[in-house]
Amino acid sequence: MEKINEFRMTLWAKSVNEGFCRAAVAAFAAQADPTAEEISDIKTAVSEAVTNCIVHAYPHTDGRIYLSCQLYRDGRLRISIRDTGCGIEDIKKAREPLFSTMGGDRSGLGFSVMESFSDKMLVRSRPGKGTTVILEKRIRGRT
Amino acid sequence: MPVQLTAQGKTLFALLSGDIDHHTAPALREQIDNAVTEYRPRMLCLDFSAVSFMDSSGVGLVMGRYRHNAAFGGDTQVCGLSPSAERIMKMSGLGKIVSFKKNAEGG
Ligand SMILES: Nc1ncnc2c1ncn2[C@@H]1O[C@H](COP(=O)(O)OP(=O)(O)OP(=O)(O)O)[C@@H](O)[C@H]1O
Ligand SMILES: [Mg+2]
């Protein structure tokens, strides 16, 4: 399917950028005329992926988040959220609902939410190298 | 102001507003916990009706407030959830310990 638009950005892995990332992807998706529900789903999934880069990827250092977005002619939006942080030891385990390596107020729902609020989620990770999450969402729009 | 706290009888109402995510949750947590510690309500009512966005951080926020309030013997209820926020809350199984209401009613 033909790609009709794309954007890429790099940000510091700081929590203040969570809202910025959601807003940026939502603004980019707006050209496909999504419904309010589709926009809300996209923002939710992006927020989870970006938050994971901020919370988990760089425990001891400053780091960056690489966000890119492609829009295809059929309304498919493909969002890639990548970090070069610590990576995930056991992806299968990490994707299980309620699994978290962090205590406090983390609930271990991030991957479940991403999966449920997008059409497709792909996770690639290598310990010590980093993690890439690809989210796909078909925007059917208001027609 | 991201959270407006009002005490009414034995109920403490917390009207949350704006976006709830990992960045904004700590300030909300602190304000609510301080009010609970001071007021010791029998019921803490977390009202989400003015929340513009919420991700899984909202679940952590509710879970943590439930625990903190329960330590003083109080119950917690959640109301005014958007369909998407309710979907996330239900994924967590939080409904077993916290009651979901349509509107703020206290108790
Ligand atoms: N980008 C990442 N880098 C390193 N580890 C990660 C990354 N994303 C997720 N993880 C690991 O996968 C686990 C599960 O992630 P998930 O988002 O489902 O839950 P959580 O972030 O712990 O809690 P929540 O998202 O509910 O606040 C995390 O606890 C963490 O160990
Ligand atoms: Mg997470």
Side-chain angles (χ1 to χ4, degrees):
Chain A
M1 182 53 67
E2 188 196 352
K3 195 199 295 185
I4 56 171
N5 203 353
E6 172 175 292
F7 90 93
R8 284 172 188 276
M9 64 183 193
T10 306
L11 313 94
W12 285 12
K14 287 169 72 95
S15 67
V16 68
N17 287 330
E18 290 157 12
F20 179 70
C21 289
R22 293 195 293 274
V25 174
F28 180 79
Q31 64 195 287
D33 204 21
T35 63
E37 192 188 342
E38 285 167 340
I39 280 289
S40 159
D41 288 358
I42 290 165
K43 285 171 79 172
T44 307
V46 167
S47 193
E48 295 296 346
V50 168
T51 300
N52 277 353
C53 302
I54 293 161
V55 174
H56 305 292
Y58 304 106
H60 307 298
T61 54
D62 294 334
R64 286 183 162 78
I65 302 169
Y66 304 86
L67 179 70
S68 75
C69 237
Q70 285 97 30
L71 183 65
Y72 295 86
R73 172 118 14 240
D74 62 355
R76 202 158 35 90
L77 186 70
R78 186 179 181 277
I79 309 154
S80 159
I81 303 101
R82 181 170 68 86
D83 64 67
T84 55
C86 63
I88 301 172
E89 208 69 60
D90 185 342
I91 298 178
K92 198 162 162 266
K93 184 138 208 122
R95 289 179 64 152
E96 280 171 17
L98 305 178
F99 174 85
S100 178
T101 52
M102 278 270 232
D105 281 353
R106 309 252 60 86
S107 57
L109 277 179
F111 280 130
S112 310
V113 168
M114 285 182 243
E115 205 156 13
S116 145
F117 283 72
S118 64
D119 298 328
K120 199 164 140 192
M121 175 183 80
L122 265 157
V123 185
R124 278 196 304 253
S125 190
R126 272 174 63 199
K129 296 278 180 212
T131 303
T132 305
V133 173
I134 311 253
L135 300 166
E136 270 187 28
K137 177 90 175 169
R138 171 84 186 279
I139 298 173
R140 286 165 210 283
R142 287 182 281 213
T143 41
Chain B
M1 227 185 12
V3 56
Q4 207 175 302
L5 294 146
T6 326
Q8 231 174 71
K10 298 222 180 304
T11 302
L12 181 67
F13 291 95
L15 176 64
L16 303 148
S17 58
D19 287 8
I20 299 182
D21 60 16
H22 156 261
H23 181 67
T24 61
L28 300 171
R29 173 180 67 208
E30 199 186 315
Q31 287 184 61
I32 298 168
D33 284 357
N34 286 345
V36 163
T37 306
E38 191 182 322
Y39 195 71
R40 313 258 175 124
R42 186 164 297 161
M43 178 63 77
L44 170 66
C45 179
L46 301 168
D47 186 350
F48 281 73
S49 55
V51 168
S52 45
F53 172 84
M54 188 199 97
D55 64 16
S56 69
S57 305
V59 172
L61 185 72
V62 173
M63 195 101 78
R65 282 348 92 223
Y66 161 79
R67 282 200 209 103
H68 181 227
N69 191 31
F72 297 107
D75 286 327
T76 301
Q77 64 177 220
V78 169
C79 69
L81 291 173
S82 70
S84 142
E86 184 162 344
R87 211 168 123 198
I88 299 173
M89 292 287 181
K90 292 219 160 125
M91 288 170 72
S92 70
L94 207 57
K96 286 184 205 117
I97 50 171
V98 172
S99 60
F100 296 136
K101 297 264 152 57
K102 247 197 155 51
N103 304 107
E105 52 186 45

